[in-house]
Amino acid sequence: MRHLESISNKNFYQIPMEFNKYTKRNLLKYAMGANLYMNALMDLYNKTITVRLKDICTITICFEDAIKESEVGRGERNVLEFLDKIYDELISGKTDENSIPLIFIRVRNPSQFISFTSKLSKNQLGLIAGFTFPKFNKENATIYLEHLEKVNKKFHEKIYGMPILESEEIIYKENRMLETIYLKDLLAKYKDFILNIRVGGTDFSSIFGLRRKVSSSVYDINVVNDCLTDIINIFGRSKDGYVISAPVWEYFSSDINSNEVKGLIREIELDKENGFCGKTIIHPTQGIYVDIMHAVEFEEYIDAKNILKSAESGGVFKGYNGNKMNEILPHYNWAKEICNRGKIFGVLNKDISFDKLFLEMGAIK
C-alpha cells in the first residue's frame, strides 16, 4: 500500500514509500492520510477489495454513530465475515496485501470493544491495524487502554489504538485542561500502542448547535477552534511525538471546481498550518485531495534536508530559493516532520505544485 498511486511518478522527486501495519510506528503514524469512515453494515469486501477504493489507504469501520445500537450484532457479524473473506483470498492468492488498506475499527463503547475482540480469531485480528476509541475521556480511557494492551499480548500482534477527543469533557473550558492533561499522562504509559490522536470537530460543533458552512472552515467556529488550539498545545509538542489528525470536512463533490472541493482544500491547508496531519473523510472523492495536500513540495523538502544536515553546527543560512531564513535549531523539529511526511506522501518535483496537479485533474484557474 502506498499513497497517491494514481498520480504519475514523473511528478515526484521522491516517490511515496510502501507501508503496511507492520511499518515502524515512527513512520506509520504519519501514514493515515485520508481515513475513510465506513458503515459496519456495508458490503465491505466489494467496497474495498473488489472495486478497490481509489487513493484510499486507510479505512475505519464504524460501530458507533454510523449504525443503531440494535444493529451492532449484525454489523459485527458482517465485519467478521469481511475479515474471513480477505484472509481466505490472501491465502489462495486471489488478493494481495497491497490491495488491502489499513483497517481500523471504531468501537461503540468499552464493553462492545471487549466483547468484539473476544470474537476475533488470530487470523482476523492480523488484518486489523487498530481500534479507534470514541468520546475518549477520563471515565473510559483506562478501560480502553488496558484492554488494548491485553489484546496485543494475547495475540502477539501489533494492534494500535487511536483515541478520539470529541466529548463535552474536552470542549467545556472549565474541564479542558484537567481532562487533557490527565489523558496525556495516561497515554504516555501506553505510548507504543498509540498511533494517532484524533479529534471530532462535528461532535464539538454539535454540543453548541453549530455547523460550519461550505464557505467557512472549522477554524472559523471560534469555540471549536479554541478547543483545537488547546489540544494541539497539549498533545502536539514535538518532544512527545504524537501525530494529531484533523476533523472531518462534511461536504463532498465529484467536481474539482465545486465549492465543496475548494473548501476542503482550503481547510486542509489550515490543518497543516495548525499542526495536524491526516484527515478523517466521509466520502471516497475526498481522499485524493487530502493526500495530495500532504505531499511535500520540493522547496520545503530541500530546506528541511539542509537543516537536518546542519543540526550539529547550528546557525542560520538562506533558504533554497533565497527567499527565507533557515534557523537550524528553531526549525529542526519542523524539518523532521517535513522529511517524515515526504517519505510517506512523497516529495514533488521542482516544477510541480499542488495547483499544477489540480489543474491536471481538471481544476480551472
Side-chain angles (χ1 to χ4, degrees):
M1 188 65 60
R2 79 166 177 86
H3 288 296
L4 298 172
E5 285 190 339
S6 68
I7 302 297
S8 172
N9 288 349
K10 69 180 182 181
N11 292 302
F12 290 99
Y13 174 78
Q14 177 177 293
I15 296 169
M17 65 176 277
E18 298 275 350
F19 63 89
N20 57 45
K21 65 173 278 190
Y22 299 108
T23 298
K24 289 183 179 179
R25 174 182 165 274
N26 66 340
L27 279 177
L28 188 62
K29 65 184 181 180
Y30 294 97
M32 298 301 97
N35 185 350
L36 177 64
Y37 268 43
M38 303 184 73
N39 185 320
L41 297 173
M42 283 182 173
D43 184 351
L44 296 166
Y45 188 86
N46 282 327
K47 291 281 187 181
T48 58
I49 307 300
T50 303
V51 176
R52 177 106 191 253
L53 285 165
K54 188 178 181 182
D55 294 305
I56 301 295
C57 292
T58 310
I59 65 168
T60 292
I61 302 169
C62 184
F63 287 123
E64 199 218 6
D65 292 340
I67 62 175
K68 300 174 184 176
E69 188 169 359
S70 61
E71 297 172 326
V72 170
R74 185 159 64 93
E76 288 184 344
R77 291 190 293 274
N78 188 47
V79 172
L80 294 174
E81 289 171 7
F82 166 60
L83 295 171
D84 281 339
K85 191 165 186 179
I86 292 178
Y87 183 78
D88 289 345
E89 299 220 347
L90 272 174
I91 295 302
S92 68
K94 293 179 181 177
T95 298
D96 63 87
E97 291 181 352
N98 287 332
S99 298
I100 303 171
L102 295 176
I103 298 171
F104 292 87
I105 308 292
R106 176 175 166 133
V107 296
R108 195 173 185 89
N109 50 46
S111 61
Q112 193 258 337
F113 176 41
I114 293 168
S115 171
F116 181 67
T117 53
S118 72
K119 301 169 186 176
L120 288 165
S121 67
K122 182 172 176 58
N123 292 338
Q124 292 166 332
L125 197 74
L127 297 169
I128 296 173
F131 293 87
T132 63
F133 306 134
K135 297 174 179 61
F136 191 77
N137 60 40
K138 191 185 295 186
E139 299 303 315
N140 59 35
T142 299
I143 303 172
Y144 276 131
L145 296 172
E146 286 183 348
H147 188 66
L148 177 67
E149 185 176 41
K150 286 179 183 176
V151 170
N152 272 268
K153 289 179 177 177
K154 176 182 177 181
F155 290 95
H156 303 288
E157 266 288 347
K158 194 64 175 181
I159 304 296
Y160 290 105
M162 298 198 295
I164 310 174
L165 306 180
E166 57 182 350
S167 64
E168 293 177 352
E169 293 85 355
I170 301 290
I171 191 74
Y172 287 167
K173 205 170 182 83
E174 66 269 25
N175 303 325
R176 188 182 307 156
M177 284 299 106
L178 287 175
E179 184 78 12
T180 52
I181 290 168
Y182 173 88
L183 293 176
K184 183 181 178 182
D185 290 343
L186 179 64
L187 285 169
K189 301 173 185 176
Y190 299 87
K191 195 167 184 179
D192 288 345
F193 301 119
I194 304 303
L195 192 59
N196 252 217
I197 306 291
R198 310 193 74 82
V199 294
T202 302
D203 285 74
F204 284 153
S205 299
S206 173
I207 290 167
F208 299 94
L210 301 171
R211 184 177 191 180
R212 65 193 183 277
K213 293 182 178 179
V214 71
S215 57
S216 63
S217 81
V218 72
Y219 303 99
D220 293 314
I221 303 177
N222 288 338
V223 69
V224 176
N225 185 37
D226 178 64
C227 184
L228 297 179
T229 299
D230 285 341
I231 289 172
I232 289 289
N233 195 312
I234 298 299
F235 292 96
R237 302 171 189 184
S238 291
K239 65 178 182 178
D240 296 319
Y242 290 114
V243 168
I244 310 171
S245 182
V248 68
W249 172 255
E250 298 174 3
Y251 302 93
F252 56 87
S253 172
S254 58
D255 179 5
I256 192 172
N257 296 297
S258 66
N259 289 331
E260 290 82 1
V261 172
K262 290 177 181 177
L264 170 62
I265 292 169
R266 182 173 61 248
E267 186 165 284
I268 298 166
E269 189 62 50
L270 290 169
D271 293 338
K272 294 193 301 178
E273 290 292 320
N274 283 282
F276 293 100
C277 180
K279 195 171 186 68
T280 299
I281 63 172
I282 42 81
H283 196 276
T285 57
Q286 297 175 322
I288 187 64
Y289 304 111
V290 173
D291 289 348
I292 282 178
M293 292 294 290
H294 280 81
V296 172
E297 292 186 291
F298 184 82
E299 181 178 329
E300 63 180 351
Y301 178 73
I302 297 301
D303 281 339
K305 289 287 285 186
N306 288 336
I307 288 166
L308 295 183
K309 284 179 186 176
S310 305
E312 293 184 5
S313 60
V316 179
F317 64 91
K318 193 182 292 185
Y320 171 76
N321 263 343
N323 60 355
K324 73 181 78 64
M325 173 192 75
N326 285 332
E327 197 168 355
I328 292 166
L329 294 181
H331 290 141
Y332 180 77
N333 289 331
W334 168 84
K336 284 197 302 182
E337 297 287 319
I338 290 296
C339 288
N340 283 329
R341 190 151 52 84
K343 290 176 183 176
I344 294 293
F345 294 97
V347 178
L348 300 179
N349 271 324
K350 183 165 56 175
D351 60 340
I352 301 296
S353 65
F354 300 138
D355 286 343
K356 187 169 183 178
L357 288 177
F358 292 143
L359 284 171
E360 291 178 1
M361 293 166 60
I364 299 171
K365 283 187 179 180

